[in-house]
Amino acid sequence: MKKQILSIILGATALISTTGTYAAEKNASGNLQADEITVKNAGEQSVNATDAVMKISAEGFIVNSQADGHAVTTAYDKKGKWVYTIEHYATDNLAKNIMDIVKEDYGNLFITSMEKIQQRNSATVFLVHAEDGTTMKTFRVANGEVDLVQGFVKG
């Protein structure tokens, strides 16, 4: 179960891919940084991403940026092909349709954040983080179904 969750999280991080050209500068850590780039999500819709930072490794590269009010992490292989994308939703801009699915079964919990994970040749998965006065829980939402992934009792 832990390996599956980890692979989902890693897969989601690589969903958005960059296209086109952009002006970039190396920052102090040696990573490339651009004010704005054009990215494509899994649906091939172009999105303008801002504050982009690209980290290059032997396996490919990862772009961290902001798009539509979400922090976005996108991974690409060495050839520049998109691998996965993870969109990080804060409390103020959660995906309402996903919140509604979780609230049907767990209406007493307050949803604190979520991640939208897209991966090549896989269904989109949401990880939803929620809590109440005594517990913290993480749910996996895919294909309209909710599964409890983790549950903790507050100490």
Side-chain angles (χ1 to χ4, degrees):
M1 178 70 108
K2 289 181 183 178
K3 288 182 183 178
Q4 184 181 21
I5 293 169
L6 182 59
S7 67
I8 290 171
I9 291 172
L10 293 175
T13 305
L15 289 180
I16 296 176
S17 59
T18 58
T19 61
T21 60
Y22 58 93
E25 300 177 0
K26 283 192 176 182
N27 61 19
S29 63
N31 297 319
L32 296 176
Q33 186 163 1
D35 291 333
E36 185 173 314
I37 61 172
T38 300
V39 299
K40 287 190 176 186
N41 62 18
E44 295 298 319
Q45 299 165 323
S46 293
V47 176
N48 285 329
T50 59
D51 300 324
V53 176
M54 183 186 305
K55 297 178 183 180
I56 301 171
S57 72
E59 293 81 26
F61 58 98
I62 294 176
V63 177
N64 292 303
S65 62
Q66 294 286 324
D68 299 328
H70 310 296
V72 179
T73 302
T74 304
Y76 303 89
D77 66 15
K78 287 190 243 184
K79 295 181 180 181
K81 289 187 177 185
W82 171 76
V83 178
Y84 66 90
T85 297
I86 298 175
E87 290 183 51
H88 307 273
Y89 291 77
T91 306
D92 59 346
N93 63 1
L94 298 170
K96 182 163 176 22
N97 61 329
I98 302 302
M99 288 175 53
D100 291 343
I101 292 170
V102 173
K103 292 266 184 193
E104 282 180 28
D105 294 328
Y106 302 94
N108 59 332
L109 295 173
F110 173 71
I111 298 175
T112 59
S113 64
M114 72 175 70
E115 291 86 34
K116 177 181 180 181
I117 302 168
Q118 297 174 305
Q119 189 173 359
R120 213 175 7 196
N121 302 322
S122 296
T124 299
V125 173
F126 287 83
L127 291 180
V128 180
H129 309 281
E131 63 181 73
D132 61 16
T134 59
T135 62
M136 296 183 340
K137 298 182 179 195
T138 300
F139 301 97
R140 178 184 178 271
V141 179
N143 300 320
E145 295 185 19
V146 179
D147 296 313
L148 178 64
V149 176
Q150 284 183 324
F152 298 102
V153 176
K154 293 181 180 179

